[in-house]
């Protein structure tokens, strides 16, 4: 039987960041991860960090490479009716920016730091089960290399993503779930080609949404809205580039450099929130508690805010013997989560083609976009949400 203060389930960005922040504060923790480290690093996901996330990486002492290699962006382009319009996020928010730095890189930095400090992460931990979190002595059981193990802990942090075991272990009567599944997915391609533009381009076209993103000056990430029935094997690289070109403006089409894909996958789009996020001594953080459609680039950033609040609450518990922080955790997170859910849902609704809404749906979206890009108030509403609303937003 092992003992630790906080047992963390999941070695994605939430679990690793939490582990690092707790360790910095002298709080012992063990991470259990179902997959191998290479598998976790192989999942190509988020690319955009808000300032809150950047600050947290610094606080965790792992921000050095991010500042060196990350690309600072002060604006995004919106493309509709064949024309591009820049949203000057920096100018509209009093100097705020976002940073292009892949989730893979952020995860790698956190993994390396954890390894360098000799902290325990059990990869390929199978059959993880959480027990007695409604008591003072929670336990976690799992098998590793065919052997059964048990950890006794003070708290369990469920950082195990949407399909994890923690949320699923909460009695149905204690939890409420809110969900919306969108009738399309994103087909993503990663390629070692220079990005088509120096900032991101979000595209509303009658053929569907597209996004031109990047990981560096030499690596691009592109997405296409596709029907949920599409299979990734049916999309050749050539078919992907051809379709992307049809959704771009003439200038971008001319600038687009194509090449072989180094990753290609389809992700479904979902809005999902769990209430509450705390069940006795079990906490949910990141995708374990909520999912946003990726259009607003909010998923990883919300996970970072949960972790900020959770690490703060646990540090307060151990240092000051106060439960005020852990009692407030769920409510504090949910307020920010619902704001990001709203923005992500709205931006998704504005930018994607909803076939059941017909031609009038497309026309109304174009009229709304035309208003937004030509109104300072409209542009600012996009800008301030995209860079991330202040942590104390709405607190009088
Ligand atoms: P993760 O990354 O899913 O990690 C959870 C980890 O838990 C492990 N696990 C278990 N371990 C042990 N036992 C079990 N029973 C377990 N069950 C699961 C899993 O193996 C995994 O390693 O959740 P986390 O840490 O909360 O991180 C959340 C982010 O990954 C996610 O919100 C973002 O990727 C969302 N997202 C984006 N977010 C942004 O902020 N900006 C973006 O630009 C952005 N782009 C995206 C995205 C997500 C996308 N997809 C694929 C949904 C783009 C895409 C296409
Ligand atoms: C990405 O680069 O993967 C990315 C960027 C912005 C988004 C979603 C995904 O809104």
């Amino acid at each position: 039987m092992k003992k630790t203060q906080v047992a963390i389930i999941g070695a994605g960005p939430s679990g690793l960041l939490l582990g690092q922040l707790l360790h910095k504060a002298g709080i012992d923790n063990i991470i259990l991860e179902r997959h191998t480290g290479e598998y976790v690093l192989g999942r190509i996901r988020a690319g955009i960090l808000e300032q809150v996330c950047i600050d947290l990486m610094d606080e965790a002492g792992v921000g050095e490479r991010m500042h060196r290699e990350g690309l600072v962006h002060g604006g995004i382009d919106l493309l509709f009716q064949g024309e591009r319009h820049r949203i000057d996020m920096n100018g509209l928010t009093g100097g705020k920016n976002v940073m292009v730095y892949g989730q893979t890189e952020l995860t790698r930095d956190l993994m390396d730091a954890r390894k360098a400090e000799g902290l325990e992460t059990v990869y390929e931990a199978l059959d993880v089960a959480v027990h007695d979190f409604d008591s003072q002595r929670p336990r976690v059981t799992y098998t590793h290399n065919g052997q059964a193990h048990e950890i006794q802990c003070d708290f369990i942090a469920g950082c195990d993503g949407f399909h994890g075991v923690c949320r699923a272990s909460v009695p149905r009567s204690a939890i409420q779930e809110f969900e919306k599944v969108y009738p399309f997915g994103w087909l993503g391609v990663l390629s070692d080609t220079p990005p088509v533009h120096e900032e991101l381009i979000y595209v509303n076209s009658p053929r569907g949404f597209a996004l031109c993103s990047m990981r560096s000056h030499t690596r691009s990430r592109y997405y296409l809205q596709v029907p949920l029935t599409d299979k990734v094997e049916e999309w050749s690289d050539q078919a992907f580039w051809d379709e992307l070109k049809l959704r771009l403006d003439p200038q971008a089409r001319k600038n687009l450099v194509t090449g072989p894909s180094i990753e290609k996958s389809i992700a479904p789009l979902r809005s999902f929130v769990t209430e509450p996020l705390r069940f006795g001594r079990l906490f949910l953080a990141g995708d374990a508690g909520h999912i946003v459609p990726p259009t607003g680039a909010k998923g990883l950033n919300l996970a970072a805010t949960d972790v900020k609040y959770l690490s703060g609450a646990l540090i307060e518990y151990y240092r000051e013997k106060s439960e005020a922080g852990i009692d407030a955790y769920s409510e504090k997170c949910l307020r920010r989560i619902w704001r990001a859910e709203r923005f992500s849902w709205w931006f998704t609704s504005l930018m994607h083609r909803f076939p059941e809404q017909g031609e009038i749906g497309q026309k109304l979206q174009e009229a709304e976009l035309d208003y937004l890009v030509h109104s300072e108030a409209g542009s600012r509403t996009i800008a301030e949400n995209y860079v991330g609303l202040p942590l104390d937003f709405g607190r009088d």
Side-chain angles (χ1 to χ4, degrees):
M1 160 102 63
K2 292 187 202 193
K3 277 194 172 187
T4 190
Q5 287 172 298
V6 182
I8 300 174
I9 319 300
S14 303
L16 288 165
L17 195 52
L18 180 66
Q20 202 61 23
L21 291 167
L22 292 180
H23 168 70
K24 285 249 154 204
I27 299 170
D28 187 52
N29 62 83
I30 299 177
I31 301 186
L32 301 180
E33 164 60 49
R34 175 165 48 190
H35 293 292
T36 63
E38 296 75 60
Y39 179 92
V40 172
L41 287 175
R43 292 186 299 219
I44 308 298
R45 290 187 169 179
I48 301 290
L49 310 185
E50 291 175 12
Q51 194 61 46
V52 204
C53 190
I54 297 169
D55 292 346
L56 221 50
M57 287 289 283
D58 285 333
E59 212 179 294
V62 292
E64 198 254 332
R65 190 166 71 101
M66 173 187 74
H67 286 291
R68 203 161 13 96
E69 296 180 11
L71 308 176
V72 175
H73 282 193
I76 52 171
D77 273 9
L78 299 182
L79 162 54
F80 59 98
Q81 289 179 312
E83 275 182 37
R84 266 194 269 160
H85 305 263
R86 182 167 189 268
I87 303 290
D88 175 13
M89 296 184 312
N90 182 288
L92 288 160
T93 60
K96 292 188 187 167
N97 300 307
V98 294
M99 184 183 276
V100 171
Y101 193 63
Q103 179 166 331
T104 307
E105 305 310 319
L106 173 143
T107 307
R108 191 190 305 278
D109 294 342
L110 287 162
M111 277 181 179
D112 288 351
R114 195 166 174 87
K115 205 165 162 193
E117 310 213 32
L119 307 178
E120 185 170 3
T121 313
V122 183
Y123 285 100
E124 300 182 272
L126 303 179
D127 309 317
V128 170
V130 293
H131 311 272
D132 304 334
F133 46 84
D134 53 351
S135 79
Q136 301 288 313
R137 294 175 171 275
R139 292 176 301 118
V140 181
T141 54
Y142 64 99
T143 54
H144 186 238
N145 290 334
Q147 293 220 318
H149 295 270
E150 181 169 332
I151 303 177
Q152 233 179 43
C153 54
D154 298 335
F155 297 100
I156 301 171
C159 300
D160 48 350
F162 183 65
H163 300 286
V165 68
C166 291
R167 191 181 70 251
S169 305
V170 174
R172 292 295 91 188
S173 58
I175 193 169
Q176 220 184 338
E177 295 177 347
F178 303 86
E179 181 171 46
K180 179 181 173 65
V181 178
Y182 297 83
F184 41 72
W186 277 19
L187 168 66
V189 155
L190 190 68
S191 74
D192 275 329
T193 51
V196 68
H197 182 57
E198 65 263 21
E199 291 177 340
L200 271 60
I201 311 176
Y202 286 83
V203 186
N204 172 304
S205 101
R207 299 184 66 89
F209 172 80
L211 171 60
C212 305
S213 183
M214 65 192 75
R215 291 291 175 272
S216 69
H217 293 304
T218 55
R219 182 168 284 189
S220 303
R221 180 69 165 159
Y222 296 101
Y223 296 98
L224 291 177
Q225 174 186 352
V226 294
L228 276 175
T229 44
D230 277 18
K231 302 268 172 292
V232 68
E233 310 78 54
E234 292 161 4
W235 276 92
S236 66
D237 288 358
Q238 192 57 49
F240 182 91
W241 297 121
D242 289 347
E243 182 59 34
L244 179 62
K245 280 183 189 159
L246 291 172
R247 299 185 191 188
L248 295 179
D249 59 295
Q251 178 73 40
R253 200 174 300 138
K254 205 172 107 223
N255 288 353
L256 181 71
V257 181
T258 63
S261 63
I262 48 178
E263 194 267 357
K264 199 191 286 162
S265 52
I266 295 182
L269 267 66
R270 186 190 305 273
S271 297
F272 175 83
V273 182
T274 302
E275 291 190 358
L277 295 170
R278 177 207 175 182
F279 310 88
R281 289 185 164 239
L282 169 69
F283 301 90
L284 303 181
D287 280 13
H290 44 82
I291 297 285
V292 284
T295 325
K298 289 279 164 271
L300 176 58
N301 294 301
L302 272 186
T305 333
D306 290 356
V307 166
K308 180 182 172 65
Y309 290 144
L310 184 54
S311 59
L314 292 171
I315 292 167
E316 186 181 319
Y317 173 86
Y318 285 111
R319 286 206 184 136
E320 296 166 31
K321 308 254 172 302
S322 161
E323 300 204 1
I326 56 177
D327 286 344
Y329 171 72
S330 188
E331 200 192 323
K332 218 166 153 182
C333 288
L334 281 164
R335 192 150 188 238
R336 191 169 171 82
I337 290 162
W338 277 114
R339 280 201 297 262
E341 291 282 347
R342 185 212 65 82
F343 174 66
S344 304
W345 156 78
W346 170 77
F347 200 35
T348 301
S349 310
L350 178 68
M351 297 305 292
H352 291 73
R353 186 76 206 250
F354 290 76
E356 73 282 6
Q357 288 174 12
E359 291 305 314
I360 190 168
Q362 180 67 25
K363 285 284 186 192
L364 289 169
Q365 283 178 343
E366 288 168 0
E368 185 169 0
L369 281 160
D370 186 40
Y371 157 69
L372 289 165
V373 302
H374 292 106
S375 150
E376 191 179 315
S379 299
R380 182 169 291 129
T381 199
I382 297 177
E384 68 179 5
N385 279 282
Y386 194 90
V387 301
L389 291 167
L391 283 174
D392 59 356
F393 182 85
R395 299 242 168 253
D396 311 310

